Amino acid sequence: MKIWAKLLIDGKNVKDTLYNDNMPLTFDSYENMLRKVAEQLDVSSPVTMMIHFRHFKEFNTHRFKPDDFIESFEYDSMEIECYE
């Protein structure tokens, strides 16, 4: 699974990272990927729910809003996109 994660302010990409692993896409691997991506971007991990995972599986993309983070989040959103 190859993931492009980006942090956006006013629709503009201000920080991004690529993440790559060989794990099959499961809810657990999705959560693990989000933790590693958040660490690379130096932000807290978003709260992950099954609906987020289903959306990502169906559309190969998902956007997390500030409300999806427990800790403060200074960006408008964090987007993840699958490149397989």
Side-chain angles (χ1 to χ4, degrees):
M1 171 171 45
K2 190 181 234 182
I3 302 294
W4 180 29
K6 49 192 170 179
L7 300 175
L8 302 168
I9 295 178
D10 294 329
K12 295 180 182 173
N13 182 357
V14 294
K15 193 172 187 183
D16 64 356
T17 189
L18 289 173
Y19 173 80
N20 191 14
D21 74 15
N22 296 325
M23 300 295 294
L25 184 59
T26 64
F27 185 73
D28 290 336
S29 67
Y30 177 73
E31 283 187 310
N32 186 48
M33 176 269 302
L34 285 173
R35 277 192 294 273
K36 290 181 180 180
V37 163
E39 184 178 297
Q40 289 175 357
L41 292 171
D42 197 28
V43 296
S44 65
S45 294
V47 174
T48 310
M49 297 188 303
M50 187 57 74
I51 191 73
H52 298 151
F53 175 66
R54 285 190 207 126
H55 185 270
F56 182 74
K57 267 184 83 169
E58 186 172 345
F59 300 107
N60 289 327
T61 187
H62 189 74
R63 178 180 291 170
F64 293 94
K65 299 289 188 176
D67 289 345
D68 294 318
F69 295 83
I70 293 174
E71 296 178 22
S72 66
F73 186 72
E74 61 191 63
Y75 303 94
D76 293 339
S77 65
M78 178 175 88
E79 289 185 7
I80 59 170
E81 217 175 306
C82 184
Y83 283 97
E84 288 195 291

